[in-house]
Amino acid sequence: MDTILTVSQLKKVYGGRGSRTTALDGLSFSVSAGEFTGIMGASGSGKTTLLNCISTIDRPTSGVITVEGTEVTALRGKALSRFRRERLGFIFQDCNLLDTLTGFENIALALTILGAPAGEVEQRVRASAALLGLEKVLDKYPYQMSGGEQQRVAAARAIVGRPALVLADEPTGALDSKSAGQLLRQLDQLNREQGTTILMVTHDAFTASWCRRILFIQDGVLFRELRRGDQDRRTFFAQILGVVGALGGDAADVW
């Protein structure tokens, strides 16, 4: 299976000579095409810094990040902006939808930015919406949607440009349990049926149990890795809780 993402000896240090904080300390791992991988760790473990570096929001102090053979850490200026726009998809805890645009228009905006041919836009938007069960909200504005619907519109916007990698930062953090479950089922379906590669940061064991692999980070280094394999999700959930307990972190236990 092809490797989509490689993180090699990643280090991120904040502050100056008098006060330095090491958020990432030589972290290395890889993600293969079609994987659904979760990143977990206690507050301050470095998981958000890691996602920020992969998403090019932040620049590491040292180390190399490669996505589909492109060394992201070497890109600058327009090349970096183009890479971020064309090869990465983003789902944030806050949906970041534009209030003055309908669901259809919010999703289509990603294609407009990419410069997709006008004749392709409607078909691609409706196809992405269908994958996430959004056909009935395409004509609605965000204020007319539930929180779960808004987040699924954000997910459709993230995948409509056919990125190499979808990065999700606490995507269920602002949702109730029912809406969170709906979103996670749709992400799981995208991963299994469409082969979408997803890297998701979460503090929540229930959310993480939908992943196929979990990387646990502690003090900026890899603490442990869990693979779901053939286990059912309930068994995997229990394993995740065990590691979270060893890390001394908190995890929601809503099933």
Side-chain angles (χ1 to χ4, degrees), residues 20-255:
R20 292 166 62 87
T21 300
T22 300
L24 298 172
D25 196 9
L27 183 64
S28 298
F29 66 93
S30 63
V31 175
S32 297
E35 277 199 282
F36 189 172
T37 301
I39 304 289
M40 295 194 76
S43 178
S45 63
K47 60 184 186 296
T48 298
T49 299
L50 170 63
L51 197 70
N52 286 344
C53 288
I54 295 171
S55 66
T56 74
I57 292 172
D58 204 353
R59 187 172 294 279
T61 304
S62 62
V64 175
I65 300 170
T66 303
V67 177
E68 274 196 325
T70 297
E71 188 178 329
V72 180
T73 38
L75 296 177
R76 298 290 188 277
K78 290 182 179 180
L80 178 59
S81 296
R82 183 169 57 252
F83 177 84
R84 182 190 297 129
R85 185 171 62 243
E86 295 178 354
R87 305 313 300 144
L88 300 178
F90 301 94
I91 308 173
F92 302 100
Q93 180 173 335
D94 297 321
C95 304
N96 292 332
L97 300 181
L98 296 178
D99 292 337
T100 57
L101 300 183
T102 64
F104 182 98
E105 292 165 341
N106 266 286
I107 300 168
L109 182 61
L111 295 176
T112 303
I113 293 171
L114 286 172
E120 293 183 9
V121 171
E122 180 163 0
Q123 184 274 327
R124 288 176 63 175
V125 169
R126 293 194 181 279
S128 295
L131 288 172
L132 287 154
L134 292 168
E135 297 94 330
K136 295 182 179 180
V137 303
L138 288 178
D139 294 327
K140 294 182 178 180
Y141 291 92
Y143 74 89
Q144 297 172 309
M145 304 176 194
S146 67
E149 288 168 342
Q150 290 181 29
Q151 194 62 296
R152 282 186 284 146
V153 169
R157 182 182 58 191
I159 67 167
V160 73
R162 299 167 184 161
L165 178 65
V166 172
L167 302 171
D169 186 9
E170 301 281 6
T172 63
L175 301 179
D176 59 45
S177 59
K178 180 179 179 181
S179 296
Q182 289 175 334
L183 175 65
L184 290 165
R185 279 191 290 274
Q186 298 293 346
L187 292 178
D188 178 62
Q189 183 177 339
L190 279 175
N191 171 252
R192 289 185 293 103
E193 298 182 8
Q194 303 297 317
T196 303
T197 307
I198 304 170
L199 183 66
M200 178 173 67
V201 164
T202 181
H203 71 282
D204 178 62
F206 169 76
T207 298
S209 71
W210 289 84
C211 299
R212 306 304 303 182
R213 178 170 66 130
I214 308 292
L215 303 176
F216 296 89
I217 298 175
Q218 184 177 49
D219 299 327
V221 298
L222 187 63
F223 173 78
R224 188 169 172 185
E225 175 180 332
L226 281 183
R227 291 182 181 271
R228 181 171 165 183
D230 295 328
Q231 298 177 102
D232 60 47
R233 194 163 56 81
R234 189 176 294 272
T235 302
F236 193 44
F237 173 76
Q239 282 193 317
I240 294 167
L241 285 179
V243 179
V244 169
L247 282 167
D250 296 323
D253 57 0
V254 178
W255 186 255

